Amino acid sequence: MVQTHLKKRIEIILEAPALHRLTDRLNQAGVTGYTIVPVLAGRGRDGSWSAEGLAGDAGRLVMIISIVDAAKADDVLERVYTLLARQIGIVTVSDVQVIRADHF
Amino acid sequence: MVQTHLKKRIEIILEAPALHRLTDRLNQAGVTGYTIVPVLAGRGRDGSWSAEGLAGDAGRLVMIISIVDAAKADDVLERVYTLLARQIGIVTVSDVQVIRADHF
Amino acid sequence: MVQTHLKKRIEIILEAPALHRLTDRLNQAGVTGYTIVPVLAGRGRDGSWSAEGLAGDAGRLVMIISIVDAAKADDVLERVYTLLARQIGIVTVSDVQVIRADHF
Amino acid sequence: MSFLELASQNLVSPMVLFFALGLAAALARSDLSIPEAVAKTIALYLMMSIGFKGGVEVAKSGITTLMLLVMLAGVLLSFIIPVIGFFALRAVSRLSAVDAAAIAAHYGSISIVTFVAATEAVRGLGLPFEGFLVAVAAVMETPAILSALLLARRAQPAGQTQGEGESAGALIREVGLNSSVVMLVGSFFIGWATGAKGLAMIAPFIVDPFRGVLCLFLLDMGLVAGRGMREGARHLSPPVLAFGILMPLFSAAVAALLILPLGLSVGGAAVFITLAASASYIAVPAAMRLALPEAKPAIYLTLSLGVTFPFNLALGIPLYLAIAQRVGL
Amino acid sequence: MSFLELASQNLVSPMVLFFALGLAAALARSDLSIPEAVAKTIALYLMMSIGFKGGVEVAKSGITTLMLLVMLAGVLLSFIIPVIGFFALRAVSRLSAVDAAAIAAHYGSISIVTFVAATEAVRGLGLPFEGFLVAVAAVMETPAILSALLLARRAQPAGQTQGEGESAGALIREVGLNSSVVMLVGSFFIGWATGAKGLAMIAPFIVDPFRGVLCLFLLDMGLVAGRGMREGARHLSPPVLAFGILMPLFSAAVAALLILPLGLSVGGAAVFITLAASASYIAVPAAMRLALPEAKPAIYLTLSLGVTFPFNLALGIPLYLAIAQRVGL
Amino acid sequence: MSFLELASQNLVSPMVLFFALGLAAALARSDLSIPEAVAKTIALYLMMSIGFKGGVEVAKSGITTLMLLVMLAGVLLSFIIPVIGFFALRAVSRLSAVDAAAIAAHYGSISIVTFVAATEAVRGLGLPFEGFLVAVAAVMETPAILSALLLARRAQPAGQTQGEGESAGALIREVGLNSSVVMLVGSFFIGWATGAKGLAMIAPFIVDPFRGVLCLFLLDMGLVAGRGMREGARHLSPPVLAFGILMPLFSAAVAALLILPLGLSVGGAAVFITLAASASYIAVPAAMRLALPEAKPAIYLTLSLGVTFPFNLALGIPLYLAIAQRVGL
Ligand SMILES: Nc1ncnc2c1ncn2[C@@H]1O[C@H](COP(=O)(O)O)[C@@H](O)[C@H]1O
Ligand SMILES: Nc1ncnc2c1ncn2[C@@H]1O[C@H](COP(=O)(O)O)[C@@H](O)[C@H]1O
Ligand SMILES: Nc1ncnc2c1ncn2[C@@H]1O[C@H](COP(=O)(O)O)[C@@H](O)[C@H]1O
Ligand code: NA
Ligand code: NA
Ligand code: NA
């Protein structure tokens, strides 16, 4: 059996203009990495939006995935939360297993 | 420690032409939101496909992520399932933690 | 209640030029399918990168999601791991529920 | 000109050769590909350009009886071809009624790139053609979908062949508002409204580079068709394959007879016959995923894009031109 | 020419009609759309083209006192218009101070596509206009953002209206380096440096197809504006709606008075007045998401793109032209 | 013309200035960027255009002994340069054998945009050059990869330097079918087959806007190079940096000697020397990720795109032109 280690997967959906603010916070929290995935469209409490045809960043969202050590997760979440209190977006956390624990 | 709440993360991979049918069902089921992510390519029982070069919607898939209350999950899944019984696609459910329970 | 079945969700973030090597391995491991999602940018131990403006594959990453049977997960992971030992990328595994067990 | 001369001239045009390059690259598993965003935009550009130019032509000539008659003929063909195709497929193959109906729908509708390739071939011979044919192309896009729906329902209990809660009306509305129809018809009316003056303003964008852009799009279509052939070939039985070649020929013959009394120009007749013979690969497949989701897309997409489109591009168009020289004025 | 003549001529230009097509398609819920990657690139193309052409013009004429004075007038307007807009909004609507400040910022800044539409209208009348107006457009982009920030802070405790740890300086730097400003200003300087010789090299790309590309972009803007109207309309109260029409008229009047003594050409005056009357929908919304995240984007985006932009495009520009015929030389 | 005249003229061309704009914007951390889909398409467009034009030239001139000899010289250089580069790097730096081999491969292969920039400079001087040089560029793309593989294997046990189960043959096949080679070679043959007539049909797309599109692509390359410099600079030691400037000069000298007896035109010699001096940044990096995944991409990508490309664009090309004036006819 492959030896795996428990980590936290933090998934954030955030408005694009605030992306740098988020990655700054992630870096400050000492996460070892993150990955940014494009988002096409969505709906939330504020109605629906779509990236189609947009020439600017406002009104567009992106998704950020970061695999973090369980010990760091709380700190990361708090920093992300204070940002999300003011910007449009959501954050979820889930358990994942990784193979190389040292990578994260 | 940050106070978190348990929710369900529903992830659907669906053929693009049926997207509106899906979001209609999600709305009917009373989900508070969803996010649509582009998909480049894939393989399933029916062979592989790729969005590259496609000018139309047929033959292309999208991914829809919706964070829903555990109490609503079953209803959402059933509606999604009846759609997926006829359209190309798959659906998975997993546990996630969120910070602002009221948002979902 | 909808009857669900436990599966493993394997999420791989991998440099684009090695994509075919990965899907070959997934196919050899007998996974029933996978889905490829574009990635915009990211940061890891080797610094940050961005797909923006790139005309070639080198320096770009993609994300591959595969839902596999728990019994097969270890074999899949091992094959993915030997690839990731040499290429840039990460892999995580998590639990998900599916409705149609026979599909996977 | 004889068919052989027309065909050999057609085969060495940059358009056909770029399509062949795409096909070859896909079959050789090259990683050559056009990004989806660009493919979509080029398709819109082609609609914009041909719609606009067609509108400008109609602004010049006005609405004529000929135009109305040819549009009527087009609608008729779009309704009837699927019926013929459906029964032919049921007779010669083991396809289910739903699969047969879905395939047949593609052949009643039209392929705008095949249309464009025909207009380029016609222009290449120095022949004029009626500008209103763009409008004919537009009205031929959707009736075939209705036809196919009726055929599929006749064969199966209604509840099964249609999304629950989706009325046929809602579907037709959705199909009628699909991006290609809107872009084509919208540009047509804008071209009509602004006329030659409007055309002069945007000709360096929609006219001059048109053929080059078409080459790029045909390369892309070759890539997609080649990928489809590789993936989809095993879904096509010999009778279905034969259908992909014979059905266009049959439709061409019917179209030729239908317009014989109308008095279209030779160029116009060639373009009209090509419309009838062409099979949709953008609008109808998407509509079928909604209207008849049980039909297997691997079959109809592969047949339309991987068999009929290349056939029409390489051999069909010169043949339709040769036919038109007999039925046109 | 009278306003009515100007307006009716403007309304049947391909540009306005493609915008209308996009608007109609979005309101009818067609799936027509331009991919995001292409929309972004077209926006950059437009900046590249107008920046470069403006630079070439300045290379011809050199830096003049008129140029510096008009730039000064532009900066002044960009600072002042938000202040007036803010108090007007607070007086007539129930918007919060933050929302009012965010909206006001859009009206102090400029819309480059409205600018382009005005230059096309001016060119369509055979009128020349000063090339340095591109530079004026560039300097008018950002001062309004500063103005709005000050207004919002005055109304609220500083800690609340601004991202913790983000200094106003960092923000202004980020805004000043946003892609539209960099592309516009960069191309302007390249055009200036390479002059007519440089223009000759790339004119078939940046000059000839320009209007056609603009049509495609206006189609896209119509689509986005229509979507915004559908989604955002319920966020706009009647006074806010009225603001979207009256504020541009007011800004136009102020701009006309301000340049009356400067001696711009009629074409130049029309363009300058249009700049003042136009509202940003790319740079300022993004800046507001950073500077005033509490302000609701549904309001300011819908108002700027769904109300003011169409108004300016259809009626505003001919009106500003009519005004310019009185204040220009 | 002297090198200084050539260099100063080159530095104020719109192409070089747009590259500089991109570089400056990236270093200043502007958010200016070209979407990936568009960057990929422009790269394909450039291949299509230069391939096609080259093919048309060869259609005019036919296959000559000169052409075959220069192609041979190109293949030879592509094989040999990596060997020289490898030992040079191992001698002056502390790079591992795998890293040195991977870097060296880039310098044996070619950069198609550097090639294009050279042809533009040559055309700017009114000099003709041999159309078959496009074919030479194509055949120089891949031999360097083989060379580097052999070097890396010699230095390390085979099992480690190569993907398990991946034969060198499969890799070479994959590399030979990469999108840039297929597009370049395919368009070359289509241009050859359709000749001047084909060119006339699509010239408004592939010829007229070419330089403008190139400007946009160079802006993009400046952005990517600038980002690479920011991220990758710390991976480059001074000897490696020096290699990025000196290796092209050395390759240029070898190339000049090699073609001295062949009798290329001055323009052709300048282009050939530039090919030898240029370093790949699309095809080879992707191949290295497969063939030598242990080699660090931060080093070779930064060196090729962030050091050698700007050097060649700004100073190298005028220098190679000056050299060519001595060795060409
Ligand atoms: N329950 C949800 N599940 C998935 N995505 C969501 C959910 N709620 C919100 N989102 C995403 O977050 C964006 C902003 O949400 P909101 O702030 O609620 O308007 C939406 O447009 C969606 O893209
Ligand atoms: N096991 C799986 N894991 C991830 N994605 C899958 C899986 N099975 C199917 N898919 C996705 O769903 C699409 C349709 O699947 P199918 O209906 O099995 O052909 C595939 O092309 C994949 O994109
Ligand atoms: N902890 C992480 N969470 C999410 N993505 C990551 C993480 N670490 C690395 N990545 C992704 O994997 C890529 C390569 O990582 P590395 O090999 O560490 O440089 C990064 O650029 C990210 O896109
Ligand atoms: Na047809
Ligand atoms: Na303004
Ligand atoms: Na080289």
Side-chain angles (χ1 to χ4, degrees):
Chain A
M1 230 194 82
V2 184
Q3 167 73 39
T4 58
H5 310 266
L6 186 69
K7 301 279 163 183
K8 293 287 179 186
R9 179 182 188 274
I10 301 184
E11 183 176 284
I12 303 154
I13 294 168
L14 177 73
E15 56 180 331
L19 179 59
H20 285 297
R21 292 200 177 166
L22 176 71
T23 53
D24 282 354
R25 276 159 199 254
L26 292 179
N27 293 342
Q28 282 160 19
V31 310
T32 54
Y34 51 80
T35 295
I36 302 167
V37 171
V39 176
L40 283 181
R43 190 177 70 77
R45 293 159 311 163
D46 292 341
S48 38
W49 63 274
S50 165
E52 270 171 353
L54 292 191
D57 257 1
R60 218 161 48 78
L61 276 79
V62 287
M63 185 161 112
I64 303 95
I65 298 166
S66 186
I67 313 299
V68 304
D69 209 282
K72 266 187 206 156
D74 260 17
D75 179 33
V76 175
L77 276 180
E78 255 183 51
R79 287 175 197 257
V80 170
Y81 180 64
T82 55
L83 182 70
L84 282 179
R86 310 180 75 233
Q87 310 282 167
I88 296 170
I90 62 169
V91 56
T92 60
V93 192
S94 61
D95 289 338
V96 289
Q97 303 284 335
V98 303
I99 298 183
R100 290 183 292 179
D102 53 313
H103 197 134
F104 299 94
Chain B
M1 232 193 81
V2 183
Q3 167 74 38
T4 57
H5 311 266
L6 186 68
K7 300 279 165 186
K8 293 287 178 185
R9 178 181 189 274
I10 301 185
E11 183 176 283
I12 303 156
I13 294 168
L14 178 73
E15 55 180 331
L19 180 58
H20 286 296
R21 293 200 176 165
L22 177 71
T23 53
D24 282 353
R25 276 158 199 255
L26 292 179
N27 294 342
Q28 282 160 19
V31 311
T32 54
Y34 51 79
T35 295
I36 301 168
V37 172
V39 175
L40 284 181
R43 190 177 71 75
R45 291 159 312 162
D46 291 341
S48 40
W49 64 273
S50 165
E52 270 172 351
L54 292 190
D57 256 3
R60 220 161 46 79
L61 277 78
V62 287
M63 185 160 112
I64 304 96
I65 298 166
S66 185
I67 313 300
V68 305
D69 209 280
K72 265 188 207 157
D74 260 16
D75 180 33
V76 174
L77 276 180
E78 255 183 49
R79 288 175 197 258
V80 170
Y81 180 65
T82 56
L83 183 70
L84 282 180
R86 308 180 77 234
Q87 310 282 167
I88 297 170
I90 62 170
V91 56
T92 60
V93 191
S94 60
D95 289 338
V96 291
Q97 304 283 337
V98 302
I99 298 183
R100 291 184 290 179
D102 54 313
H103 197 134
F104 300 94
Chain C
M1 228 192 84
V2 184
Q3 166 73 38
T4 57
H5 309 266
L6 186 69
K7 299 280 164 183
K8 293 288 178 183
R9 179 182 188 274
I10 301 185
E11 182 176 284
I12 303 155
I13 294 168
L14 178 73
E15 54 180 332
L19 179 59
H20 285 297
R21 292 197 178 168
L22 177 70
T23 53
D24 283 353
R25 276 158 199 256
L26 292 179
N27 293 343
Q28 283 159 19
V31 311
T32 54
Y34 51 79
T35 295
I36 302 167
V37 172
V39 176
L40 284 180
R43 190 178 70 75
R45 292 159 311 163
D46 291 340
S48 40
W49 63 274
S50 165
E52 271 171 352
L54 291 191
D57 257 1
R60 218 161 47 78
L61 276 77
V62 288
M63 185 160 112
I64 302 96
I65 298 167
S66 185
I67 313 299
V68 304
D69 209 281
K72 265 187 207 156
D74 261 17
D75 179 34
V76 174
L77 277 180
E78 255 182 50
R79 287 174 197 259
V80 170
Y81 181 64
T82 55
L83 183 70
L84 283 179
R86 309 180 76 232
Q87 311 281 167
I88 297 171
I90 62 169
V91 56
T92 60
V93 191
S94 61
D95 290 337
V96 290
Q97 304 283 336
V98 301
I99 297 183
R100 291 183 290 178
D102 54 312
H103 197 134
F104 299 94
Chain D
M1 249 193 252
S2 78
F3 166 66
L4 281 182
E5 284 167 313
L6 288 166
S8 63
Q9 191 173 319
N10 184 51
L11 285 174
V12 297
S13 76
M15 286 112 207
V16 174
L17 291 175
F18 272 106
F19 179 79
L21 175 60
L23 213 59
L27 293 176
R29 295 177 185 271
S30 162
D31 68 348
L32 181 58
S33 72
I34 310 281
E36 180 195 346
V38 173
K40 278 189 174 171
T41 307
I42 298 183
L44 290 180
Y45 167 85
L46 298 178
M47 309 285 176
M48 179 181 179
S49 173
I50 58 180
F52 198 95
K53 288 183 286 189
V56 172
E57 291 294 319
V58 172
K60 271 190 224 155
S61 62
I63 302 182
T64 60
T65 323
L66 178 62
M67 170 175 168
L68 296 176
L69 285 175
V70 179
M71 285 177 82
L72 198 72
V75 172
L76 221 76
L77 277 175
S78 183
F79 265 118
I80 292 171
I81 289 174
V83 181
I84 304 171
F86 175 78
F87 288 108
L89 276 170
R90 293 287 279 170
V92 302
S93 79
R94 294 186 180 175
L95 292 175
S96 71
V98 171
D99 277 327
I103 296 177
H106 291 70
Y107 288 79
S109 183
I110 58 117
S111 147
I112 206 73
V113 176
T114 313
F115 168 85
V116 168
T119 61
E120 290 298 328
V122 163
R123 265 203 207 97
L125 296 173
L127 296 172
F129 64 92
E130 287 78 7
F132 62 69
L133 284 164
V134 174
V136 177
V139 299
M140 288 178 77
E141 281 233 28
T142 34
I145 294 169
L146 250 186
S147 238
L149 271 184
L150 296 176
L151 288 165
R153 277 206 201 163
R154 227 192 42 126
Q156 285 203 304
Q160 265 172 262
T161 55
Q162 199 201 335
E164 330 85 65
E166 280 273 341
S167 69
L171 184 77
I172 292 300
R173 193 177 159 279
E174 198 165 356
V175 169
L177 284 173
N178 82 63
S179 59
S180 28
V181 173
V182 170
M183 194 70 184
L184 191 65
V185 174
S187 302
F188 181 84
F189 280 113
I190 296 178
W192 196 349
T194 61
K197 209 181 137 198
L199 185 62
M201 290 176 76
I202 63 173
F205 179 62
I206 66 165
V207 178
D208 302 347
F210 183 80
R211 283 176 177 171
V213 177
L214 184 60
C215 284
L216 196 59
F217 194 64
L218 282 169
L219 174 78
D220 180 57
M221 293 196 61
L223 289 165
V224 176
R227 222 165 54 203
M229 283 181 190
R230 255 173 39 203
E231 285 291 324
R234 63 199 154 89
H235 297 281
L236 302 186
S237 62
V240 175
L241 259 171
F243 179 88
I245 309 277
L246 297 177
M247 189 66 211
L249 296 180
F250 179 80
S251 303
V254 176
L257 289 177
L258 201 62
I259 54 160
L260 195 47
L262 299 184
L264 269 174
S265 66
V266 169
V271 171
F272 182 81
I273 295 171
T274 304
L275 278 176
S278 73
S280 170
Y281 52 84
I282 295 186
V284 176
M288 288 303 117
R289 292 314 302 146
L290 292 175
L292 300 174
E294 291 80 10
K296 295 186 201 69
I299 304 182
Y300 51 73
L301 271 173
T302 310
L303 196 63
S304 164
L305 194 55
V307 177
T308 303
F309 180 76
F311 168 73
N312 274 334
L313 191 69
L315 299 176
I317 291 175
L319 185 64
Y320 311 143
L321 261 164
I323 298 176
Q325 287 173 339
R326 277 150 222 272
V327 302
L329 292 182
Chain E
M1 248 194 252
S2 80
F3 165 67
L4 281 182
E5 283 168 313
L6 288 166
S8 63
Q9 190 173 321
N10 184 50
L11 285 176
V12 297
S13 75
M15 286 112 205
V16 174
L17 291 176
F18 272 105
F19 180 80
L21 175 60
L23 213 59
L27 293 176
R29 295 178 185 271
S30 161
D31 69 349
L32 182 58
S33 71
I34 310 281
E36 180 195 348
V38 174
K40 277 189 174 171
T41 307
I42 299 184
L44 290 180
Y45 167 85
L46 298 178
M47 308 287 176
M48 180 182 178
S49 174
I50 58 180
F52 198 96
K53 288 183 286 190
V56 172
E57 291 294 320
V58 172
K60 271 191 223 154
S61 63
I63 302 181
T64 60
T65 323
L66 178 62
M67 170 175 168
L68 296 176
L69 285 175
V70 178
M71 285 177 81
L72 198 72
V75 172
L76 221 78
L77 277 175
S78 182
F79 266 118
I80 292 170
I81 289 174
V83 180
I84 303 171
F86 175 79
F87 288 108
L89 275 170
R90 294 286 279 170
V92 302
S93 78
R94 292 183 181 179
L95 291 175
S96 71
V98 171
D99 277 327
I103 296 176
H106 291 70
Y107 288 80
S109 184
I110 58 117
S111 147
I112 206 74
V113 176
T114 314
F115 169 83
V116 168
T119 61
E120 290 297 328
V122 163
R123 265 202 206 97
L125 296 174
L127 296 172
F129 64 91
E130 287 77 8
F132 62 69
L133 284 163
V134 174
V136 177
V139 299
M140 287 178 77
E141 281 233 27
T142 34
I145 294 168
L146 250 187
S147 238
L149 271 185
L150 297 176
L151 288 164
R153 278 207 201 162
R154 229 192 41 127
Q156 285 203 303
Q160 266 172 263
T161 55
Q162 198 201 336
E164 331 85 64
E166 279 274 339
S167 69
L171 185 76
I172 291 300
R173 193 177 158 280
E174 197 164 357
V175 170
L177 283 174
N178 82 62
S179 58
S180 29
V181 172
V182 170
M183 193 70 183
L184 192 65
V185 174
S187 302
F188 181 83
F189 280 114
I190 296 177
W192 196 349
T194 62
K197 209 181 136 196
L199 184 62
M201 291 176 74
I202 62 173
F205 179 62
I206 67 166
V207 178
D208 301 346
F210 184 79
R211 282 176 178 170
V213 177
L214 184 59
C215 285
L216 196 59
F217 194 64
L218 282 168
L219 173 79
D220 180 59
M221 292 194 64
L223 288 164
V224 175
R227 221 164 55 204
M229 282 179 189
R230 254 173 39 204
E231 284 291 324
R234 63 198 154 89
H235 297 281
L236 302 186
S237 62
V240 174
L241 259 172
F243 178 88
I245 309 277
L246 297 177
M247 189 66 211
L249 297 180
F250 179 80
S251 303
V254 176
L257 290 177
L258 201 62
I259 54 159
L260 196 46
L262 299 184
L264 269 175
S265 65
V266 169
V271 171
F272 183 81
I273 294 170
T274 304
L275 278 176
S278 73
S280 170
Y281 52 85
I282 295 185
V284 176
M288 287 303 117
R289 292 313 303 145
L290 293 175
L292 301 174
E294 291 80 10
K296 294 186 202 68
I299 305 182
Y300 52 71
L301 271 173
T302 311
L303 195 63
S304 165
L305 194 54
V307 177
T308 303
F309 180 76
F311 168 74
N312 274 334
L313 191 68
L315 299 176
I317 291 176
L319 185 63
Y320 311 143
L321 261 164
I323 298 176
Q325 288 173 338
R326 278 150 223 271
V327 303
L329 291 182
Chain F
M1 247 194 253
S2 78
F3 166 66
L4 281 183
E5 282 168 314
L6 287 167
S8 62
Q9 190 173 321
N10 184 51
L11 285 175
V12 297
S13 75
M15 286 113 206
V16 174
L17 290 175
F18 272 105
F19 180 80
L21 175 60
L23 213 60
L27 293 176
R29 294 177 186 271
S30 161
D31 68 350
L32 182 58
S33 72
I34 311 281
E36 180 194 347
V38 174
K40 277 188 176 172
T41 307
I42 299 183
L44 290 180
Y45 167 85
L46 298 178
M47 308 286 176
M48 180 182 178
S49 173
I50 58 180
F52 198 97
K53 288 183 286 188
V56 172
E57 291 294 321
V58 171
K60 270 191 226 154
S61 63
I63 303 182
T64 60
T65 323
L66 178 62
M67 171 176 168
L68 296 175
L69 284 174
V70 178
M71 284 178 82
L72 198 73
V75 172
L76 222 77
L77 277 175
S78 183
F79 265 118
I80 293 171
I81 290 174
V83 180
I84 303 171
F86 175 79
F87 288 108
L89 276 170
R90 293 287 277 170
V92 303
S93 78
R94 293 186 182 178
L95 292 174
S96 70
V98 171
D99 277 327
I103 296 177
H106 291 70
Y107 288 80
S109 183
I110 59 117
S111 146
I112 206 73
V113 176
T114 314
F115 169 84
V116 168
T119 62
E120 289 298 328
V122 163
R123 264 203 206 96
L125 296 173
L127 296 172
F129 64 91
E130 287 78 8
F132 62 69
L133 284 163
V134 174
V136 177
V139 299
M140 288 177 77
E141 280 233 28
T142 35
I145 294 169
L146 249 188
S147 239
L149 271 186
L150 296 176
L151 288 165
R153 278 207 201 163
R154 229 191 42 125
Q156 284 203 305
Q160 265 172 263
T161 54
Q162 198 201 335
E164 329 86 64
E166 279 273 340
S167 69
L171 183 77
I172 291 300
R173 192 176 158 280
E174 198 165 356
V175 169
L177 284 173
N178 81 62
S179 59
S180 29
V181 172
V182 170
M183 193 71 182
L184 191 65
V185 173
S187 302
F188 180 83
F189 280 114
I190 296 177
W192 196 348
T194 61
K197 210 181 135 196
L199 184 61
M201 292 176 75
I202 62 173
F205 179 62
I206 67 166
V207 178
D208 302 347
F210 184 79
R211 283 176 177 169
V213 177
L214 185 59
C215 284
L216 196 58
F217 193 64
L218 282 169
L219 174 79
D220 179 58
M221 292 195 61
L223 288 165
V224 175
R227 220 165 56 202
M229 283 180 189
R230 255 173 40 204
E231 284 290 324
R234 63 199 155 90
H235 296 282
L236 302 186
S237 61
V240 174
L241 259 172
F243 179 88
I245 308 278
L246 298 177
M247 189 66 211
L249 297 180
F250 179 79
S251 303
V254 175
L257 291 176
L258 201 61
I259 53 159
L260 196 46
L262 299 184
L264 270 175
S265 66
V266 170
V271 171
F272 183 81
I273 294 170
T274 304
L275 277 176
S278 73
S280 171
Y281 53 85
I282 295 186
V284 176
M288 289 301 118
R289 292 314 303 145
L290 292 175
L292 301 174
E294 292 79 11
K296 295 186 202 68
I299 304 183
Y300 51 70
L301 271 173
T302 311
L303 195 64
S304 164
L305 194 54
V307 178
T308 303
F309 180 76
F311 168 74
N312 275 334
L313 191 68
L315 300 177
I317 291 175
L319 185 63
Y320 310 144
L321 262 164
I323 298 176
Q325 287 172 340
R326 277 153 224 270
V327 302
L329 293 182

